[in-house]
Amino acid sequence: MLNFGRSRNQPRTVRATTMGGLDYPDPKRKGNFVGKVFLAAVLTTLCIIMIKRTPSLNSSSPFAIHEPGVTHVLVTGGAGFIGSHATLRLLSDNHRVTIVDNLSRGNLGAVKVLQGLFPEPGRLQFIYADLGDKKSVEKIFLENKFDAVMHFAAVAYVGESTMDPLKYYHNITSNTLLVLEAMAKHDVKTLIYSSTCATYGEPEKMPITEETQQVPINPYGKAKKMAEDIILDFSKTSDMAIMILRYFNVIGSDPNGNLGEAPRPELREQGRISGACFDAARGIIPGLKVRGTDYKTADGTCIRDYIDVTDLVDAHVKALEKAQPAKVGIYNVGTGKGSSVKQFVEACKKATGVDIKVEFLPRRPGDYAEVYSDPRKIKRELDWSAKYTDLQQSLRIAWRWQKSHRDGYGVSNELR
């Protein structure tokens, strides 16, 4: 790259004669000076011509321009379980997508599947970067023209957050601040923020509405709420269109079998109950560990609202379509009904056809007894409602992918 802004190492020497305390240029050098000015002008013209003829600079990347009729969406965490499914839907809807992921939780294999499904130039690009690196974030926004951001990237395990809280505040709260600053600086108009029901903590009344007081009880929920607070404070002086989606426990997979859930082996212990059920059904682990049987619920186990990933992604797309400048929408994304962990395990046994061995253990720190949503607001304002409300159906779809992908995506996360 040509650097027109670099200064000389030493200042130019100017010879002068002094008369009466005033400096005058030496007339003998006037001709040389004019010649140098002329030469500089010629060289500048040649440089401009060379730049215009350079293919990489002449034909701008489609990701670096705003193209009429095309919505370019930055999907942070797009190599992860939810982010990859969202990317699949956005691409299927003819959007342009840039995935940014540091692959600490995501799968390069999911990105490769998406690239294989949408190989056309200008449809999908993947950027390996950490959103905690301010210079990287600035470079991404400088070199690309985004119309919207779907911000999924986050560590998201309740148990892990209680053991390593600073990791969660850095990864969720600080990183969201950097993304928001970059969006404001580069005039990106729309933010769809991936939040969580964990911001509510353990409310006294069920179901949870968007007006339920947010009193998170673990670092994961606290970090997400802090990020929400930053976004809401920023929105008071911004015309950005903002949607905050607080969703509940995600299960399922792509009905067409392209994508699924494949957590890192070392994180299985912290992961979703669905992943643990499937691992037990496949014999990867000896059995399922259910933590907590003394909660104040009908069968003593936690009650959760399980939302299928396909429905969840649909809610994000509806939010993108309905987002309005200078407006903030906050929505719960759930089915509106709760199922206990024991009920979930029974559904998983039926979906897999395996009599999974279950071990009951003490409670996990940071968990709460009962959480399920009131989805009436999102139905009323975004015309969204969950379609996959049968646990067994969602688990059966996910199980098909799991059975055919025993080693996950079977692709190393090492970039070559």
Side-chain angles (χ1 to χ4, degrees):
M1 181 180 289
L2 297 172
N3 189 347
F4 296 106
R6 186 175 61 188
S7 60
R8 295 174 177 268
N9 293 328
Q10 295 180 348
R12 179 179 301 197
T13 302
V14 178
R15 293 181 182 177
T17 58
T18 303
M19 298 178 62
L22 298 176
D23 290 347
Y24 293 86
D26 187 345
K28 293 180 181 179
R29 298 190 57 81
K30 183 176 180 181
N32 289 340
F33 177 76
V34 172
K36 288 180 179 179
V37 170
F38 177 76
L39 179 60
V42 171
L43 289 173
T44 300
T45 302
L46 287 173
C47 287
I48 293 171
I49 292 171
M50 288 173 65
I51 290 172
K52 287 183 176 180
R53 289 183 178 180
T54 302
S56 61
L57 295 174
N58 186 38
S59 55
S60 294
S61 162
F63 298 95
I65 59 173
H66 286 296
E67 185 176 337
V70 177
T71 302
H72 183 187
V73 184
L74 168 61
V75 179
T76 71
F81 172 48
I82 300 171
S84 61
H85 282 76
T87 299
L88 176 61
R89 171 62 186 274
L90 290 168
L91 290 167
S92 299
D93 288 354
N94 294 315
H95 295 307
R96 177 172 291 150
V97 179
T98 293
I99 290 174
V100 172
D101 203 301
N102 67 0
L103 301 178
S104 64
R105 298 291 162 95
N107 288 283
L108 188 59
V111 176
K112 291 184 178 296
V113 167
L114 293 165
Q115 289 172 332
L117 291 171
F118 301 92
E120 304 90 350
R123 296 301 311 283
L124 171 66
Q125 70 168 337
F126 171 68
I127 299 174
Y128 175 75
D130 193 319
L131 295 178
D133 183 341
K134 187 172 184 176
K135 289 183 179 178
S136 294
V137 174
E138 172 61 23
K139 187 173 187 289
I140 290 165
F141 279 83
L142 185 64
E143 295 179 353
N144 297 276
K145 299 296 184 185
F146 303 118
D147 299 296
V149 173
M150 282 191 180
H151 184 31
F152 295 100
V155 285
Y157 296 140
V158 168
E160 184 188 42
S161 78
T162 63
M163 294 184 290
D164 193 356
L166 295 184
K167 178 178 186 175
Y168 275 66
Y169 294 121
H170 273 294
N171 182 273
I172 295 173
T173 312
S174 297
N175 289 8
T176 298
L177 176 58
L178 291 180
V179 170
L180 193 60
E181 286 176 336
M183 290 181 67
K185 180 178 179 180
H186 295 277
D187 198 28
V188 181
K189 302 292 189 183
T190 304
L191 171 64
I192 313 298
Y193 182 62
S194 165
S195 193
T196 170
C197 65
T199 63
Y200 293 113
E202 193 164 15
E204 294 180 2
K205 287 176 56 180
M206 287 291 138
I208 294 173
T209 72
E210 288 78 2
E211 284 69 44
T212 297
Q213 187 178 6
Q214 291 176 287
V215 188
I217 63 173
N218 54 60
Y220 170 57
K222 291 176 184 178
K224 281 286 189 179
K225 183 181 183 301
M226 287 180 187
E228 281 193 21
D229 289 342
I230 291 169
I231 293 168
L232 293 173
D233 284 342
F234 167 76
S235 71
K236 295 172 184 175
T237 57
S238 168
D239 63 353
M240 189 181 292
I242 296 171
M243 293 292 208
I244 296 173
L245 302 185
R246 297 173 184 156
Y247 42 87
F248 289 66
N249 292 62
V250 188
I251 60 171
S253 67
D254 168 39
N256 294 318
N258 294 301
L259 300 170
E261 183 179 7
R264 289 175 177 274
E266 66 270 20
L267 295 171
R268 291 183 191 275
E269 190 77 11
Q270 301 287 350
R272 295 179 177 87
I273 186 174
S274 55
C277 278
F278 294 142
D279 284 348
R282 293 189 299 169
I284 294 174
I285 58 176
L288 179 67
K289 296 177 181 179
V290 173
R291 300 184 182 275
T293 58
D294 59 346
Y295 290 99
K296 293 180 180 180
T297 59
D299 62 21
T301 62
C302 295
I303 291 177
R304 297 289 182 265
D305 188 339
Y306 295 98
I307 177 75
D308 191 283
V309 68
T310 301
D311 284 331
L312 178 61
V313 165
D314 187 54
H316 282 77
V317 171
K318 291 277 178 64
L320 180 63
E321 293 171 350
K322 301 281 188 177
Q324 296 293 322
K327 301 287 185 182
V328 179
I330 300 175
Y331 302 98
N332 290 335
V333 188
T335 65
K337 67 177 184 178
S339 300
S340 75
V341 170
K342 284 185 177 179
Q343 289 174 322
F344 186 94
V345 173
E346 289 305 310
C348 195
K349 286 180 179 181
K350 291 176 181 177
T352 62
V354 178
D355 187 17
I356 299 166
K357 179 183 176 183
V358 181
E359 180 183 2
F360 296 99
L361 299 172
R363 296 185 185 190
R364 182 176 62 177
D367 263 339
Y368 26 81
E370 184 178 25
V371 172
Y372 61 95
S373 70
D374 179 344
R376 286 181 295 179
K377 182 182 178 185
I378 193 170
K379 169 63 177 175
R380 183 173 65 251
E381 296 186 9
L382 301 189
D383 192 27
W384 176 91
S385 59
K387 296 179 176 62
Y388 293 84
T389 57
D390 185 302
L391 268 181
Q392 211 171 307
Q393 178 192 21
S394 290
L395 292 171
R396 195 161 42 241
I397 292 170
W399 176 238
R400 284 204 303 263
W401 190 88
Q402 294 289 330
K403 281 197 300 183
S404 60
H405 296 79
R406 184 177 177 83
D407 298 320
Y409 287 99
V411 175
S412 169
N413 272 359
E414 291 184 12
L415 298 171
R416 304 186 186 280

